[in-house]
Amino acid sequence: MKDFYKYLNRRIDLKSTYDGLLDYPKYVEIETVNACNARCPMCTINDWERNYPVMKDDVFKKISDDIISNKEKIKRVSLYRDGEPLIDKKMPKRINKFFENGITNTSIATNVSLLNEKKSTELLEAGLGMVIMSIDSLKKDVFEKIRVRLNFEVVKDNAIKFLQLRDKINPKCRVWIRMIRQEENLDEWDDYYNFWKKYVSDNDRVYYHNIFNWGGQLENYKSVEKSFEPNLPCVALWSLMVFFANGDVPLCNVDYNNKFPTGNIMKNSIKELWQSKILNTRRELHLKGNKKNISICENCNVWDEATGEELISAEYAEKVSISNNIIK
């Protein structure tokens, strides 16, 4: 059990104690819009059942005020989840609220198609702390097969222009350029990495994350690499709280239809939700090797370490699994 505690601290926050992880989430994801202009095969959008696409101001205020009051405990506030965040016309204003209240580590993850010069300028001037650009190929035909409905040239040009504007307007804003590695682009990594490294700064990151199975919910999922994640307690339960557009809090970022509800921010504070009986019961199941009792946890590999930089290795994950008698 102690090895699991060390593993969680190492993955989440080396400066924290295990009890510190249980105090308040280090990471928060706020889905202000549940809609997207793309239809990617590694996404579950065709299975979405929620029908509240836009977060109302009172819900955002409740969440953001709570976070601001506990800002010393937060490592990052992400204003996205399953939708494309740039569809939200209020995004710059919402980012700026955190920035003006001392939270500079905000982030969005975008497919880059809507990140034109005007939007880029607004986000950078609002104080955006980081943007994750999901760009899966440098080959037009491969990119447009993966990022259905998007135009490769538009996305590439938007990304390069954003980097140029970032250097002028808000140099502290970090850019992470991410490939979701899958069968279609398996042979591209070296060329991809070398291309984007020419444009990014030393504080940026170019990396890939292997395609994941959304807790066994992604149809036609094909793995490209062995995963150790199903053998380990999931870091999300000790690090991340997700808020959907109506204020609902699901089990985690994989529970896109809120099949395993935790509560709603309009009825409880973030701390009350984080320390709730239902979340602690789920954590206990994971620590005791019984995560299979939660169906979407059993084989989930969404939290496998990404590759492309020096992060925790698969070998370390395997060692922790073996030492806790999880791998037989």
Side-chain angles (χ1 to χ4, degrees), residues 5-192:
Y5 292 171
K6 291 178 182 178
Y7 166 76
L8 291 166
N9 276 112
R10 183 171 175 178
R11 285 289 301 268
I12 300 166
D13 187 357
L14 282 170
K15 296 179 181 179
S16 176
T17 62
Y18 176 77
D19 288 339
L21 299 180
L22 299 174
D23 182 40
Y24 197 88
K26 302 290 184 184
Y27 299 89
V28 172
E29 290 183 355
I30 308 169
E31 183 188 66
T32 68
V33 60
N34 179 231
C36 190
N37 59 335
R39 291 295 183 273
C40 309
M42 66 282 192
C43 178
T44 58
I45 189 168
N46 293 324
D47 192 35
W48 292 358
E49 298 174 355
R50 293 183 283 123
N51 59 357
Y52 32 89
V54 180
M55 179 173 282
K56 295 181 179 179
D57 290 341
D58 62 331
V59 179
F60 182 78
K61 184 179 188 304
K62 178 79 186 300
I63 298 168
S64 55
D65 286 352
D66 193 320
I67 293 170
I68 289 166
S69 296
N70 293 276
K71 60 186 177 183
E72 73 282 354
K73 302 173 184 178
I74 288 282
K75 294 190 73 172
R76 183 184 306 146
V77 177
S78 300
L79 286 97
Y80 67 90
R81 181 51 259 147
D82 294 327
E84 167 53 50
L86 298 187
I87 294 175
D88 181 2
K89 296 179 180 179
K90 296 180 180 179
M91 184 57 66
K93 180 179 179 181
R94 287 170 163 170
I95 289 169
N96 189 248
K97 177 177 180 178
F98 287 112
F99 183 80
E100 292 296 328
N101 284 280
I103 297 177
T104 58
N105 197 8
T106 54
S107 74
I108 60 169
T110 174
N111 62 38
V112 196
S113 63
L114 304 178
L115 194 63
N116 56 36
E117 184 171 351
K118 181 177 183 293
K119 183 64 69 174
S120 296
T121 301
E122 291 174 347
L123 292 168
L124 289 165
E125 290 180 345
L128 179 65
M130 184 176 78
V131 57
I132 302 171
M133 297 182 178
S134 294
I135 306 172
D136 299 311
S137 177
L138 293 175
K139 300 176 182 177
K140 179 178 173 64
D141 59 330
V142 175
F143 174 89
E144 293 181 1
K145 182 179 180 181
I146 295 173
R147 296 283 164 173
V148 179
R149 298 186 181 180
L150 304 188
N151 179 283
F152 171 68
E153 288 83 5
V154 169
V155 168
K156 184 181 75 170
D157 291 347
N158 282 351
I160 293 171
K161 184 63 177 179
F162 182 91
L163 286 161
Q164 294 168 344
L165 289 170
R166 183 276 308 270
D167 294 342
K168 296 177 182 177
I169 299 172
N170 182 2
K172 292 183 179 180
C173 178
R174 291 168 295 153
V175 177
W176 288 11
I177 301 179
R178 175 181 63 191
M179 169 196 284
I180 301 298
R181 197 169 70 117
Q182 49 202 286
E183 284 189 338
E184 287 78 9
N185 60 13
L186 273 178
D187 63 343
E188 289 190 52
W189 171 245
D190 289 342
D191 289 341
Y192 180 96

Side-chain angles (χ1 to χ4, degrees), residues 108-325:
I108 60 169
T110 174
N111 62 38
V112 196
S113 63
L114 304 178
L115 194 63
N116 56 36
E117 184 171 351
K118 181 177 183 293
K119 183 64 69 174
S120 296
T121 301
E122 291 174 347
L123 292 168
L124 289 165
E125 290 180 345
L128 179 65
M130 184 176 78
V131 57
I132 302 171
M133 297 182 178
S134 294
I135 306 172
D136 299 311
S137 177
L138 293 175
K139 300 176 182 177
K140 179 178 173 64
D141 59 330
V142 175
F143 174 89
E144 293 181 1
K145 182 179 180 181
I146 295 173
R147 296 283 164 173
V148 179
R149 298 186 181 180
L150 304 188
N151 179 283
F152 171 68
E153 288 83 5
V154 169
V155 168
K156 184 181 75 170
D157 291 347
N158 282 351
I160 293 171
K161 184 63 177 179
F162 182 91
L163 286 161
Q164 294 168 344
L165 289 170
R166 183 276 308 270
D167 294 342
K168 296 177 182 177
I169 299 172
N170 182 2
K172 292 183 179 180
C173 178
R174 291 168 295 153
V175 177
W176 288 11
I177 301 179
R178 175 181 63 191
M179 169 196 284
I180 301 298
R181 197 169 70 117
Q182 49 202 286
E183 284 189 338
E184 287 78 9
N185 60 13
L186 273 178
D187 63 343
E188 289 190 52
W189 171 245
D190 289 342
D191 289 341
Y192 180 96
Y193 181 84
N194 291 331
F195 176 84
W196 288 112
K197 270 297 183 180
K198 294 183 296 185
Y199 293 97
V200 299
S201 73
D202 291 340
N203 291 324
D204 298 328
R205 180 179 169 204
V206 180
Y207 70 111
Y208 71 75
H209 195 298
N210 291 319
I211 186 172
F212 47 83
N213 61 13
W214 289 93
Q217 299 176 98
L218 181 64
E219 292 186 10
N220 303 315
Y221 166 74
K222 294 181 181 178
S223 173
V224 295
E225 196 165 291
K226 182 180 179 181
S227 170
F228 293 100
E229 185 62 24
N231 304 309
L232 297 162
C234 179
V235 294
L237 291 176
W238 284 265
S239 62
L240 174 67
M241 180 157 281
V242 174
F243 296 96
F244 288 146
N246 69 341
D248 278 347
V249 178
L251 166 68
C252 63
N253 55 331
V254 166
D255 187 15
Y256 54 85
N257 279 330
N258 200 23
K259 293 179 180 178
F260 300 87
T262 300
N264 188 288
I265 189 60
M266 303 309 286
K267 298 178 181 178
N268 297 98
S269 69
I270 292 178
K271 188 165 188 173
E272 288 170 341
L273 291 164
W274 190 244
Q275 297 180 357
S276 63
K277 181 178 179 180
I278 190 168
L279 260 185
N280 284 329
T281 298
R282 292 164 179 167
R283 292 176 181 126
E284 192 72 9
L285 287 171
H286 277 238
L287 286 173
K288 291 185 176 180
N290 294 316
K291 62 193 292 185
K292 63 182 181 295
N293 292 358
I294 308 171
S295 60
I296 64 172
C297 297
E298 183 175 4
N299 294 306
C300 183
N301 62 347
V302 70
W303 282 97
D304 271 345
E305 275 291 3
T307 305
E309 303 289 346
E310 291 299 322
L311 298 172
I312 297 171
S313 65
E315 288 77 15
Y316 173 75
E318 183 177 26
K319 180 180 177 181
V320 173
S321 301
I322 292 171
S323 68
N324 284 273
N325 298 314

